[in-house]
Amino acid sequence: MINYFVKKMKHYKNIPIFIKFKKDKDFEYRLNFMIFLSKFFNYKRTNHGDKIEELIPSYLDNIIYYSDIGDIENTFCSNFNLDKIYKSYQIFSDEYSKDLYLSQLINYSFVGENSKGTLFLLYYSHIWNQYKKVENSIKDKLDNLFLFDLSNINIPIKLYYPYPYGLFSDFILEQYKYKNKVYVSEGDIVIDGGGYMGDTALYFANLVGKTGKVYSFECVDSNLNIFYKNLDLNPNLKDIISIQKYPLYDKSNQQLNFADGADASRIMDNGNLKVISISIDDFVENNKLQKVNFIKMDIEGAELKALKGAKNTLSRFRPNLAISLYHSFSDYYEIPLLLSEILYEYEFYFDHFKLGRGESILFCKAK
């Protein structure tokens, strides 16, 4: 839709040039148009649910008005390498991905309570009608966790989880599926990098069925304790999921220090949890896997390293990929550029599944 506006306003002479890019005037125009348009959209992040900060649409708020808060163009240039952004932008296979990619780069530049970018299509989507159904699926509470029964939205899964939005994103928005192009199918072998409490593993297991397998990598004990509880709640899916207590990395047998941050546990020099890494290539070889159909990664900034440890698997099996980009500014271009070098004859797509900064996913599909 944004591309429609860009084409319609192609000859509109009053769009300011905030950022010059002489290599490609069409890219320059689209980027500056996106910045210009973003100055008219303003979203507020609010506390919602159990002290979880999410941006949930409030239709009592006016989001369309001019505001130059945050100095978009200078903030953008200080956060990103423009040449690498351009190279990544060129990789994408459809106009939707290109538009949303530029919009999310703007949105990601805003750390505080204000959000920018052209996210109004998601903001006003009817999909939010389903969010209330996820909230209404809460049946019980265990400490700081809610017990969700998703059967009321025709998903035969029960699980403990700390807040509704994660499940809304996993099961309703389906953030690890790109339209009808990149998705998990029955019988697939899935590598689930970043298992957390088992939500994505259960999502994938429900799709692959008894003839498939999900290898879910999670190394943080506090998350694993809930993960095992969630498997017991779903005996029909339990045997499809194999928990691997390792962090994915470029090389195996490296000692890594993790800071336990629940859904944002990450490698840190002063982390108090010491774990031993494994690479995807070594895992595939050690377990003599005969195929890998899908790789998902949401591993809190270790995606680039983990992908470097999967080069043989990517070349041999040519799986579909869904890789999180939102853990650093540089991931938005370093990960697409790395994969464009590794993958031969692939299509690349981009989507974003949150009104806030998180949940940007790079999708890759073999032609």
Side-chain angles (χ1 to χ4, degrees):
M1 185 172 181
I2 301 303
N3 190 45
Y4 170 82
F5 289 128
V6 171
K7 289 179 178 178
K8 286 291 185 182
M9 299 185 70
K10 193 73 175 177
H11 302 292
Y12 181 61
K13 304 300 183 183
N14 294 326
I15 296 293
I17 302 300
F18 303 103
I19 299 174
K20 293 183 179 181
F21 194 78
K22 295 180 180 179
K23 293 180 184 178
D24 187 329
K25 288 298 181 181
D26 286 337
F27 172 78
E28 179 188 76
Y29 185 88
R30 185 178 292 200
L31 173 59
N32 283 285
F33 180 82
M34 199 68 69
I35 292 172
F36 177 70
L37 197 59
S38 295
K39 292 177 183 286
F40 292 88
F41 294 99
N42 302 272
Y43 316 93
K44 294 287 187 181
R45 291 171 60 81
T46 57
N47 290 327
H48 186 87
D50 190 25
K51 298 183 180 179
I52 298 299
E53 190 179 66
E54 300 288 1
L55 203 165
I56 307 299
S58 171
Y59 299 134
L60 297 177
D61 295 339
N62 175 29
I63 66 169
I64 304 176
Y65 57 91
Y66 182 84
S67 170
D68 204 19
I69 187 171
D71 191 11
I72 294 175
E73 53 272 23
N74 288 325
T75 301
F76 186 96
C77 289
S78 65
N79 288 329
F80 298 108
N81 181 313
L82 189 56
D83 285 329
K84 289 186 176 183
I85 289 296
Y86 174 62
K87 290 177 182 178
S88 298
Y89 165 89
Q90 288 182 303
I91 291 169
F92 295 119
S93 301
D94 63 14
E95 298 301 320
Y96 173 91
S97 297
K98 292 178 179 179
D99 286 335
L100 197 58
Y101 179 67
L102 294 180
S103 176
Q104 172 53 16
L105 295 177
I106 295 167
N107 180 41
Y108 193 77
S109 298
F110 288 81
V111 180
E113 67 173 7
N114 297 291
S115 291
K116 284 284 191 178
T118 54
L119 301 175
F120 64 100
L121 296 179
L122 176 58
Y123 191 91
Y124 286 127
S125 172
H126 291 297
I127 198 72
W128 291 101
N129 295 336
Q130 299 294 317
Y131 183 83
K132 192 65 178 178
K133 292 183 179 180
V134 175
E135 284 189 318
N136 291 340
S137 69
I138 294 173
K139 301 301 180 184
D140 202 353
K141 192 172 183 180
L142 174 66
D143 298 326
N144 293 323
L145 301 172
F146 298 102
L147 175 60
F148 293 85
D149 182 353
L150 302 179
S151 60
N152 73 317
I153 49 177
N154 299 316
I155 299 169
I157 290 173
K158 297 178 182 178
L159 74 165
Y160 287 104
Y161 207 73
Y163 49 92
Y165 192 91
L167 303 185
F168 173 71
S169 186
D170 288 341
F171 293 96
I172 304 301
L173 296 180
E174 291 192 280
Q175 76 171 52
Y176 298 111
K177 173 184 178 181
Y178 185 75
K179 306 186 186 305
N180 63 343
K181 295 180 180 294
V182 185
Y183 50 86
V184 167
S185 300
E186 185 175 357
D188 279 355
I189 303 299
V190 176
I191 290 177
D192 175 30
Y196 187 35
M197 296 180 177
D199 51 311
T200 52
L202 289 166
Y203 167 78
F204 291 133
N206 190 48
L207 294 174
V208 304
K210 299 294 184 182
T211 59
K213 194 73 177 178
V214 178
Y215 296 97
S216 188
F217 290 78
E218 178 56 56
C219 63
V220 177
D221 288 338
S222 58
N223 294 339
L224 286 166
N225 291 337
I226 307 304
F227 200 149
Y228 285 118
K229 290 181 186 294
N230 285 335
L231 289 187
D232 289 338
L233 288 172
N234 298 275
N236 58 320
L237 300 177
K238 183 176 182 179
D239 292 339
I240 300 172
I241 298 169
S242 174
I243 296 177
Q244 305 296 316
K245 301 178 185 178
Y246 308 97
L248 293 175
Y249 216 54
D250 60 338
K251 296 178 182 178
S252 299
N253 301 314
Q254 293 191 42
Q255 180 175 288
L256 303 175
N257 297 328
F258 263 71
D260 185 350
D263 62 343
S265 300
R266 61 177 60 230
I267 299 168
M268 296 185 70
D269 291 339
N270 61 350
N272 58 358
L273 175 64
K274 299 184 184 301
V275 292
I276 302 300
S277 68
I278 193 166
S279 72
I280 287 178
D281 284 343
D282 286 343
F283 176 79
V284 169
E285 183 177 351
N286 295 345
N287 289 274
K288 297 180 170 57
L289 298 189
Q290 296 304 304
K291 66 175 183 176
V292 175
N293 303 101
F294 195 97
I295 298 175
K296 163 257 176 181
M297 287 186 191
D298 186 354
I299 48 178
E300 303 305 320
E303 289 84 359
L304 191 66
K305 284 279 192 179
L307 288 167
K308 291 178 180 179
K311 290 182 179 180
N312 294 336
T313 301
L314 296 176
S315 298
R316 179 183 175 191
F317 296 116
R318 295 174 60 76
N320 289 340
L321 289 88
I323 310 297
S324 296
L325 298 184
Y326 61 92
H327 296 113
S328 75
F329 291 105
S330 61
D331 278 354
Y332 275 96
Y333 46 82
E334 296 295 357
I335 291 174
L337 292 177
L338 172 70
L339 287 174
S340 70
E341 294 176 357
I342 297 173
L343 302 175
Y344 174 68
E345 291 191 350
Y346 259 72
E347 297 171 354
F348 291 80
Y349 302 97
F350 176 87
D351 212 342
H352 184 74
F353 296 89
K354 203 172 192 179
L355 291 169
R357 300 175 77 229
E359 316 311 329
S360 295
I361 310 297
L362 173 69
F363 294 93
C364 309
K365 174 183 174 61
K367 293 182 180 178

